């Protein structure tokens, strides 16, 4: 069996967007499925990680097509990163920021990669006229990728699976876009056309599935996961001597857990020993607004590592006493399971989560016994949990590694589930 996977994110892309299908491709051959990857030739990635190229199996066919990205032009004009230039991460946008965001929202539907659709369809039609594949798979965001699948299905009557790493109109930032009624209507129309036309739809959370399940022909949930590497065994990692709380990823102003900083600040003021033992660590970009709030707090020891390659980020996960995960405080928060969740589980360190207590993230944390999730304003219970973890740390000279049953979230096991879904569709 052969599948054609259309994805914008592919090594050397860094960050969470590349992980899902890089790992699926890594294991598909174990189940007698040969993947072919179609991706952008000259993409504009916010971050890159050259080390991920080492995980692409030898001999995998990768087809590339040039892409025109207006974001890249805007970024050069603004001399800042692409997302910030469009206002996503800027809590105090300038007039120019607002204009750019309005243009992006209403003239680049579904997103600024829309100009990749036509050349990709043309190139893939030629490829498919010369090569047989059993199933076409598109993965988004960017959601333009799904429109490539939609057009190919219309013209060639292919079996097609649309994989939503994030739901379309309930993705966390969607409500921030200054959409006109006409643009909003167009988004909903395109989303529905993709969901109802695809032969199969994949989601990453149960709450996200509920939105689409009455429209899709066949729908299932395959979460993201973790991947075990011999070189990154948790048994070889020396855990921090300090009481470290580590957050890995981008900490922007929309993800700012203010009550957590207040709780940590209050504990530090009330307990000098805690203040001395505690280290708050950020691995990745941190917004100035968040940084300033922490600076004004009573948290004494803050470590800002910045962006690091993926394998280094995993080392920080494994050596930290406690890990922090935060879901953006958005209307769709219950649907969101940050990709890092599963590598956090693999690290076997206790997790403090900030987000809906009845969301999908909370369900996974509870199921695996790996920590607790607290609502955005639940400072009282958050303080109690932090103090209980600190008590374990002091009593045992560190927090012991958790014993959790997480094997179903291993990338190979998830790939086996994917293959079953592919066979059902084909």
């Amino acid at each position: 069996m052969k599948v054609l996977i259309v994805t914008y994110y592919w090594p050397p892309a860094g960050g969470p967007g590349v992980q899902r299908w890089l790992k699926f491709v890594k294991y598909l051959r174990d189940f007698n499925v040969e993947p072919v990857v179609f991706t952008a030739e000259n993409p504009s990635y916010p971050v890159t990680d050259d080390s991920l190229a080492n995980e692409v199996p030898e001999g995998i066919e990768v087809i590339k097509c040039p892409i025109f990205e207006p974001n890249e032009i805007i970024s050069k004009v603004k001399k800042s990163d692409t997302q910030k230039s469009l206002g996503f991460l800027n809590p105090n946008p300038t007039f120019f920021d607002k204009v750019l965001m309005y243009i992006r929202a209403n003239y680049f539907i579904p997103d600024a990669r829309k100009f990749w659709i036509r050349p990709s369809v043309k190139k893939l039609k030629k490829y498919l006229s010369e090569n047989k594949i059993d199933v076409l798979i598109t993965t988004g965001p960017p959601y333009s990728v799904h429109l490539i699948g939609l057009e190919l299905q219309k013209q060639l009557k292919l079996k097609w699976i649309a994989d939503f790493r994030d739901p379309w109109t309930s993705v966390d930032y969607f409500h921030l876009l200054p959409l006109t009624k006409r643009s909003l209507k167009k988004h909903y129309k395109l989303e529905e056309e993709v969901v109802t036309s695809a032969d199969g739809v994949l989601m990453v959370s149960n709450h996200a599935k509920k939105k689409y399940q009455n429209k899709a022909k066949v729908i299932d949930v395959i979460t993201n996961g973790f991947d075990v590497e011999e070189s990154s065994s948790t048994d070889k990692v020396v855990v921090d001597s300090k009481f470290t709380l580590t957050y890995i990823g981008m900490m922007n102003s929309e993800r700012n857990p203010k009550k957590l900083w207040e709780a940590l600040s209050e504990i530090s003021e009330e307990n000098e020993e805690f203040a001395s033992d505690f280290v708050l660590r950020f691995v990745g970009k941190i917004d100035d607004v968040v940084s300033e709030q922490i600076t004004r707090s009573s948290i004494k020891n803050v470590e800002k590592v910045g962006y690091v390659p993926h394998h280094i980020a995993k080392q920080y996960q494994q050596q930290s006493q406690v890990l922090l995960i935060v879901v953006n405080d958005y209307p769709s928060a219950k649907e969101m399971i940050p990709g890092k969740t599963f590598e956090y589980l693999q690290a076997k360190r206790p997790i403090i989560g900030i987000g809906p207590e009845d969301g999908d993230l909370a369900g996974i944390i509870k199921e695996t016994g790996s920590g607790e999730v607290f609502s955005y304003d639940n400072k009282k219970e958050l303080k109690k949990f932090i103090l209980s973890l600190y008590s374990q740390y002091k009593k045992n000279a560190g927090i012991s590694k958790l014993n959790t049953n997480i094997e179903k979230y291993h990338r190979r096991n998830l790939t086996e589930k994917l293959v079953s879904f592919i066979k059902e569709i084909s």
Side-chain angles (χ1 to χ4, degrees):
M1 175 176 282
K2 182 180 285 190
V3 296
L4 175 61
I5 300 155
V6 183
T7 176
Y8 173 79
Y9 292 101
W10 191 251
V18 68
Q19 293 292 325
R20 182 170 173 85
W21 282 92
L22 173 61
K23 300 298 185 179
F24 281 145
V25 167
K26 179 178 177 179
Y27 290 111
L28 277 171
R29 284 175 168 172
D30 290 357
F31 303 99
N32 299 313
V33 176
E34 181 65 23
V36 176
V37 176
F38 180 88
T39 191
E41 184 175 298
N42 53 323
S44 176
Y45 296 136
V47 293
T48 58
D49 186 345
D50 292 330
S51 69
L52 293 180
N54 298 326
E55 296 194 43
V56 179
E58 187 176 348
I60 291 291
E61 184 177 6
V62 179
I63 309 163
K64 295 186 176 182
C65 180
I67 183 172
F68 165 68
E69 298 193 61
N71 282 356
E72 180 67 12
I73 298 172
I74 295 170
S75 178
K76 290 177 180 178
V77 171
K78 290 284 292 179
K79 297 181 180 179
S80 62
D81 68 62
T82 303
Q83 282 186 307
K84 200 160 190 173
S85 72
L86 293 175
F88 283 115
L89 305 178
N90 192 347
N92 298 301
T94 64
F95 175 75
F96 187 41
D97 288 328
K98 292 178 181 178
V99 170
L100 290 176
M101 196 171 184
Y102 181 87
I103 293 171
R104 178 256 183 264
N106 295 289
Y107 291 91
F108 300 131
I109 297 175
D111 50 61
R113 276 85 184 215
K114 62 178 289 188
F115 301 102
W116 197 43
I117 298 170
R118 184 175 292 178
S120 295
V121 169
K122 181 179 180 180
K123 186 158 188 171
L124 284 171
K125 280 183 66 178
K126 184 177 187 303
Y127 176 85
L128 291 167
S129 70
E130 300 168 353
N131 299 271
K132 182 182 182 301
I133 63 108
D134 296 287
V135 177
L136 171 70
I137 302 172
T138 57
T139 180
Y143 304 105
S144 291
V145 173
H146 292 315
L147 300 188
I148 296 172
L150 181 65
E151 190 60 32
L152 287 171
Q153 189 203 49
K154 286 179 180 178
Q155 296 188 31
L156 303 178
K157 309 302 180 186
L158 296 167
K159 290 290 185 180
W160 168 40
I161 294 172
D163 173 61
F164 288 84
R165 295 194 323 275
D166 286 315
W168 189 325
T169 56
S170 56
V171 68
D172 49 12
Y173 58 80
F174 190 77
H175 76 288
L176 297 176
L177 297 173
L179 293 162
T180 64
K181 289 182 179 180
R182 182 180 178 182
S183 297
L184 192 61
K185 185 177 180 180
K186 188 172 182 179
H187 271 287
Y188 283 121
K189 181 180 178 182
L190 287 173
E191 177 185 42
E192 183 161 348
E193 189 174 5
V194 166
V195 171
T196 56
S197 299
D199 297 285
V201 173
L202 286 175
M203 308 301 297
V204 296
S205 73
N206 289 311
H207 275 91
K209 176 186 174 183
K210 288 177 183 178
K211 179 181 177 183
Y212 293 156
Q213 64 185 3
N214 293 327
K215 299 177 180 179
K217 296 171 186 172
V218 182
I219 189 167
D220 203 352
V221 173
I222 300 181
T223 66
N224 290 308
F226 67 88
D227 196 24
V228 175
E229 303 286 354
E230 289 298 322
S231 61
S232 61
S233 169
T234 57
D235 295 330
K236 300 177 184 179
V237 174
V238 177
V239 179
D240 296 325
S241 58
K242 288 285 191 178
F243 184 58
T244 45
L245 174 62
T246 300
Y247 178 83
I248 295 177
M250 183 177 291
M251 176 60 76
N252 59 43
S253 58
E254 297 292 335
R255 194 175 294 160
N256 184 13
K258 298 177 183 178
K259 294 299 179 182
L260 172 62
W261 312 143
E262 290 178 16
L264 291 169
S265 187
E266 289 173 11
I267 297 172
S268 297
E269 290 172 359
E270 296 160 2
N271 188 327
E272 289 185 7
E273 194 171 14
F274 176 91
S276 177
D277 288 335
F278 179 68
V279 176
L280 177 61
R281 177 189 290 142
F282 293 94
V283 180
K285 295 180 180 180
I286 176 171
D287 191 276
D288 290 342
V289 171
V290 182
S291 186
E292 288 169 10
Q293 183 178 355
I294 294 170
T295 299
R296 293 194 302 267
S297 75
S298 299
I299 303 170
K300 292 183 178 180
N301 303 312
V302 180
E303 183 181 339
K304 299 176 183 177
V305 177
Y307 180 80
V308 297
H310 184 243
H311 69 282
I312 302 297
K314 291 183 70 173
Q315 290 177 16
Y316 277 112
Q317 292 168 15
Q318 294 161 9
Q319 74 186 54
S320 183
Q321 292 287 349
V322 186
L323 295 168
L324 171 64
I325 193 162
V326 184
V327 176
N328 288 15
D329 188 5
Y330 287 157
S332 59
K334 289 182 182 181
E335 301 175 20
M336 300 303 162
I337 309 172
K340 68 175 74 71
T341 303
F342 303 96
E343 289 186 351
Y344 276 23
L345 296 179
Q346 180 195 7
K348 298 185 177 180
R349 309 307 304 164
I351 299 170
I352 294 175
I354 309 295
E357 294 177 2
D358 58 348
D360 279 271
L361 172 64
I364 289 173
I365 299 297
K366 183 178 181 180
E367 171 205 4
T368 57
S370 54
E372 288 194 33
V373 174
F374 302 89
S375 62
Y376 305 99
D377 296 322
N378 194 356
K379 184 170 69 174
K380 180 180 178 181
E381 295 303 316
L382 188 54
K383 282 182 69 174
K384 285 171 61 177
F385 187 62
I386 293 168
L387 287 169
S388 71
L389 291 173
Y390 181 62
S391 177
Q392 292 179 49
Y393 163 82
K394 294 298 285 185
K395 183 178 180 180
N396 303 311
I399 301 173
S400 299
K401 186 166 63 175
L402 299 175
N403 291 313
T404 55
N405 183 18
I406 59 174
E407 278 308 301
K408 73 176 184 179
Y409 297 116
H410 189 289
R411 295 282 189 180
R412 190 180 189 280
N413 293 331
L414 293 168
T415 305
E416 185 175 19
K417 185 176 181 181
L418 169 67
V419 171
S420 296
F421 187 79
I422 292 171
K423 289 179 177 178
E424 179 184 356
I425 298 305
S426 64

